[in-house]
Amino acid sequence: MVGADGFEIRRAGTVAELLAAEHLYDGPARAEWAERFLASSGHMMLIAYAPGGVPAGFATGIEMVHPDKDAELCLYELGVDEAFRRRGLGRALTEALLAEARRRGCAGVWVPVDTDNGPALATYRSAGAVDEGVCAIRAWSFGGGNDRT
């Protein structure tokens, strides 16, 4: 699918695609983590490619189900390379992920976002998200390569 400014948005399906986009992530990608991501049911990543095939942004989603709820999708992470920001690419990625959630039959989509992250809040608002109130997030860290330091 074509997103903002002629960027092509498509679902990542190979480890090579995930590793090629690592400059967009919080830290370095690892092949074994990329393999696990692709093998995990309900996990997906959409990558936006600039003209010329350079990964310019991404959105990840995780489909979740619970015995008392219909399927929902968590927009887990959204990132756009600084050189490609303020062109509507974040919104286009968000809307593409929303479309994928609808296609899968999800009842809705939700996203955790820091309340002081103005650009993310504006992006989600522009894509139709509504504020459901303040939420606190607590985390446990068990060591290893996933530590948030």
Side-chain angles (χ1 to χ4, degrees):
M1 73 188 83
V2 177
D5 281 351
F7 289 86
E8 181 184 3
I9 298 174
R10 62 180 188 261
R11 184 170 177 178
T14 68
V15 169
E17 288 173 300
L18 296 177
L19 296 180
E22 85 171 337
H23 66 282
L24 301 169
Y25 310 151
D26 296 330
R30 292 167 83 181
E32 61 269 25
W33 292 347
E35 289 172 8
R36 186 173 176 187
F37 177 89
L38 291 171
S40 296
S41 176
H43 285 58
M44 71 189 84
M45 180 181 291
L46 302 178
I47 299 176
Y49 293 91
V54 176
F58 76 98
T60 54
I62 303 170
E63 186 177 338
M64 300 176 174
V65 294
H66 194 271
D68 69 336
K69 294 175 182 63
D70 203 350
E72 298 178 311
L73 191 87
C74 170
L75 191 167
Y76 182 70
E77 193 166 349
L78 173 70
V80 175
D81 187 288
E82 194 169 330
F84 299 106
R85 291 183 185 162
R86 306 209 45 85
R87 298 185 192 186
L89 191 53
R91 179 180 176 168
L93 281 159
T94 299
E95 290 175 343
L97 200 65
L98 296 173
E100 179 63 20
R102 283 187 195 95
R103 188 189 71 70
R104 290 170 163 260
C106 292
V109 176
W110 58 279
V111 59
V113 60
D114 292 330
T115 56
D116 64 350
N117 188 338
L121 291 167
T123 296
Y124 301 139
R125 191 177 316 110
S126 74
V130 296
D131 185 351
E132 290 192 346
V134 177
C135 166
I137 298 175
R138 304 293 183 258
W140 291 261
S141 179
F142 302 119
N146 289 329
D147 281 351
R148 297 177 190 211
T149 55

